[in-house]
Amino acid sequence: MQWPTHEVSNQAPDLHDYNLYTTDLALVAGVQREQAGWHEQDLIRYGAELGMRQTLQLGQLANHHLPELHTHDRVGHRIDTVEFHPSWHQLLAMQRRENLHAMPWSQARTGVHVARTATYYLQAQVESGSLCPTTMTFAAIPLLQQEPALFAALEAKLFAREHDPRDLPWAQKHSMLIGMGMTEKQGGSDVRSNTTVARAVHGSGRGAEYALTGHKWFFSAPMCDAHLVLARTEIGLSCFFVPRWRPDGSRNAVLIQRLKDKLGNRSNSSSEVEFQDACGVMVGEEGRGIPTIIEMANHTRLDCVIGSAGLMRNALVQAIHHARHRNAFGHPLAEQPLMRNVLSDLALESEAATLLMLRLARAADASRDTPDDLLERAWRRILTPAAKFWICKRTLEFSGECMEVWGGNGYIENAPMARMYREAPVNSIWEGSGNVMCLDVLRAIERETEGFALLLQDLHDTAGTHAGLRALVATLRSDLALPPPQQEMQARRFAQRLVLAAQASLMLQHAPASVAEAFIASRIDAECGRVFGTLPAAALQHDMLARAWPA
Ligand SMILES: Cc1cc2nc3c(=O)[nH]c(=O)nc-3n(C[C@H](O)[C@H](O)[C@H](O)COP(=O)(O)OP(=O)(O)OC[C@H]3O[C@@H](n4cnc5c(N)ncnc54)[C@H](O)[C@@H]3O)c2cc1C
């Protein structure tokens, strides 16, 4: 039957069955440049798999069918179990198979952080919530490697490439996931306020067994086989390996009070828990819990950068795809001059985020290959928190703008933009919120003075003839002469400028000249406004969109 009122026209088709890797020219070039070319065939294969309709559906399903908490069984025993839709486990199984949870730790190879970063960035374009337990496991492994006896027992399970969703003692499983528990009701940034206590049970100090009593206000992925938890002994805050099951085969007393009802990241269960004499083994030195667990932070923060850069890339591709198929006023949106300005501006932001992410991954590789390289250490230690602040925050505005490219359709839940928009803020909040990151940048500069001087010189040298960029680099130097209270007050300004200088430098080195010039004209030479789509006319090049999304 023909129903003329139900004719569908001028709607963009769903985007699927494309290769997320080969269509991303900045990524492809970056993988080669940063010495991960050996991983390219895997990226091509996985990029195609991730772009398939059925893979993309997994992301939708995992966020539609939310995790469900069961605190008790039918007859009243505590079980503290979270039930997930099968799509959640399929996503975790894919990440595990691609070694996203352990790649740099299980294979010592030049460019291995870059290889993992590129893979993680592709994965983030499909679903974000399931990245949480993968990232936490990834960040926990180097810390656990410093505990030889414990690690010897865990190694095979941590490095295994299959996902094992069964709720059993880790020793009976094929593989395991690790989470982390620091944040309490009274403080997340200031973990020194933690009140959970740990009482020695057998011996004391590193490797000894303790009983933990207290609570955690945010405790994501409680079905992980163990969490690294901060708790206080008489000596001070210490770090503990707290398994879901006790060594005697009984359930550990990690009681899940409820799951958070979250804005986004909904596929992932984030819980509130209480410990009642929960069994934990001390990891690291007694009283050195914060430095021990903070070691994980550089890894989780880089993953926040990668995850947000991936979110940006996905939002950009969806926006350009839509604008190429949707007509308004007689022409495709993508050919309308003002829409071209918006999309090109977004493309610049996304490419700059991708380049910075890859550069930080190279610095992570250098921590093993050339540990004494002060410049690389400065990229790692100073620019990682700065990028975590800037890229995660830019993703908020970025995803909103991409949603608007879709018009009203962007606001509707059965399209991809709404989920991306709701996903965007969390990377900016957890693992050190914006202000905390900017203050960390200042702290890192204080510790890495020589490395920072090398970094500034590097940025100055690559600025070439760009007077605006050179002036910006000079202000970075002079800002540090401010007295400490003013420095702290200006920490966001400083971090913003530092990241923009770094991104401009990377664009000048690795992007086509016209693209780099457009970035500098709009970000550094103060011609851009406060919103996307304000590129100066001279900076707007016809081929920018073809480069951003050649499909
Ligand atoms: C979905 C989700 C999942 C999470 N999962 C986990 C988890 O698994 N494990 C875990 O341990 N935590 C988890 N967290 C907690 C998260 O890490 C914290 O929320 C975060 O660290 C901020 O702590 P807070 O919420 O206590 O905020 P606060 O510490 O109260 O901070 C509030 C604001 O004040 C700012 N601020 C703090 N100190 C300063 C200062 N000196 N100067 C200026 N500004 C400052 C912060 O930047 C922030 O914007 C999760 C959070 C979310 C949203």
Side-chain angles (χ1 to χ4, degrees), residues 104-106 140-149 151 155 158-159:
W105 322 130
S106 62
I141 290 176
L143 199 151
L144 292 168
Q145 279 174 322
Q146 291 169 33
E147 311 299 314
F151 191 71
E155 181 172 4
L158 287 171
F159 286 168

Side-chain angles (χ1 to χ4, degrees), residues 180-183 187-189 218 220 262 270 429-430 433 435-436 439:
M180 55 203 269
M182 296 183 285
T183 309
S189 309
F218 280 94
S220 285
K262 295 178 289 184
S270 299
I429 294 175
W430 62 15
S433 311
N435 288 354
V436 172
L439 296 174

